[in-house]
Amino acid sequence: MDNESIVLLSRREIEKMRQAGQLAARLLTYLEPMVKPGVSTLELNDAAEAWTQKHGAKSAPLGYHGFPKSICTSINEVVCHGIPHAKQILREGDIINIDVTPIVDGYHGDTSRMFFVGDPSPMARRLVEVTEECLYRGIAAATPGGRIGDIGAAIQECAEASGFSVVRDFVGHGVSRIFHTAPQVPHYGTRGKGKKLRPGMVFTIEPMINEGTWEVEILSDKWTAVTKDGKLSAQVEHTIAITEAGVDILTLHPDLVPANA
Ligand code: MF3
Ligand code: CO
Ligand code: CO
């Protein structure tokens, strides 16, 4: 995907991306009250699929490069791409990432959040808080005229200042009518390096931050990425647009968007 060129989206296309992004945010809010001990990740998946269809959208992950379900559910040491399963039951104290990507009128809204199952450990809570902080630092660094490396540098500093590490094996990505396209957006790096950020660029920022080592392993299902040391991992994701004025978060829940924005 790195020798593809970066497509700049028109204002009209960015509004289409916002429609998809807001539906994605609403889907996470819909799922939130279901995240309780005793619920299976398949139940979350099936609720997400039904809600998505009811709203006239399609689940991009389903069948994507053979992915078998509609959402990704990544618990505790799972870094990303966890596959929902009937036998995988949420337990008190778990942390879980739910990653959704509805397609609305051809455009992808890609976002994920962390949820607490009951009352996780202080370490788990801190990891999640820092990961959210890292995402917002990365978004704040995404300004027109800046560079892709500014984003990763901001995220890496935020994570490492708290003693955590940044996953290298998965990156943010351009997203539009295509699920994953240029540019690649690493969550680590060097300020001033990488492609220039220009108005009309639309991409995700989705840092995966680990309690211990940044190294990951892929399980035999060929999808589930886990931490090599079995320690915790957290991830949060927004889809953003670079505008003349700065940065526009397209996957904010509509209730969180100021009316005059
Ligand atoms: N939504 C994920 C992302 O943030 C991609 C999931 S691809 C799947 O890029 F095939 F695993 F669903
Ligand atoms: Co993504
Ligand atoms: Co995603």
Side-chain angles (χ1 to χ4, degrees), residues 80-102:
C80 63
H81 302 163
I83 303 173
H85 197 284
K87 290 193 173 149
Q88 186 178 52
I89 310 294
L90 300 185
R91 290 179 310 190
E92 170 64 38
D94 285 344
I95 56 171
I96 179 174
N97 172 279
I98 304 180
D99 191 337
V100 301
T101 310

Side-chain angles (χ1 to χ4, degrees), residues 110 173 180 204 206 237:
D110 189 4
H173 52 90
H180 295 97
T204 72
E206 49 182 298
E237 173 175 29

Side-chain angles (χ1 to χ4, degrees), residues 7 9 48 64 70 82 91 95 97 102 109-110 116-117 124 157 169 177-178 187 201 238:
V7 174
L9 272 61
Y64 182 77
S70 302
R91 290 179 310 190
I95 56 171
N97 172 279
D110 189 4
F116 294 146
V117 184
E157 276 167 18
D169 302 58
R177 287 183 171 275
I178 306 169
H187 304 108
M201 284 186 182
H238 272 309

Side-chain angles (χ1 to χ4, degrees), residues 113 137 183 214 234:
R113 269 167 56 196
R137 298 281 190 96
W214 55 265

Side-chain angles (χ1 to χ4, degrees), residues 15-53:
E15 290 317 308
K16 294 294 226 179
M17 287 296 292
R18 194 189 316 280
Q19 291 305 311
Q22 291 192 339
L23 195 78
R26 288 172 55 204
L27 172 53
L28 291 177
T29 299
Y30 167 72
L31 294 172
E32 184 160 23
M34 292 181 61
V35 180
K36 293 242 159 60
V39 170
S40 77
T41 51
L42 187 66
E43 289 174 272
L44 297 173
N45 177 83
D46 293 354
E49 178 59 37
W51 192 93
T52 300
Q53 286 183 21

Side-chain angles (χ1 to χ4, degrees), residues 6 41-42 49 95 131 227 242 251:
I6 303 174
T41 51
L42 187 66
E49 178 59 37
I95 56 171
T131 303
T227 57
I242 305 294
T251 43

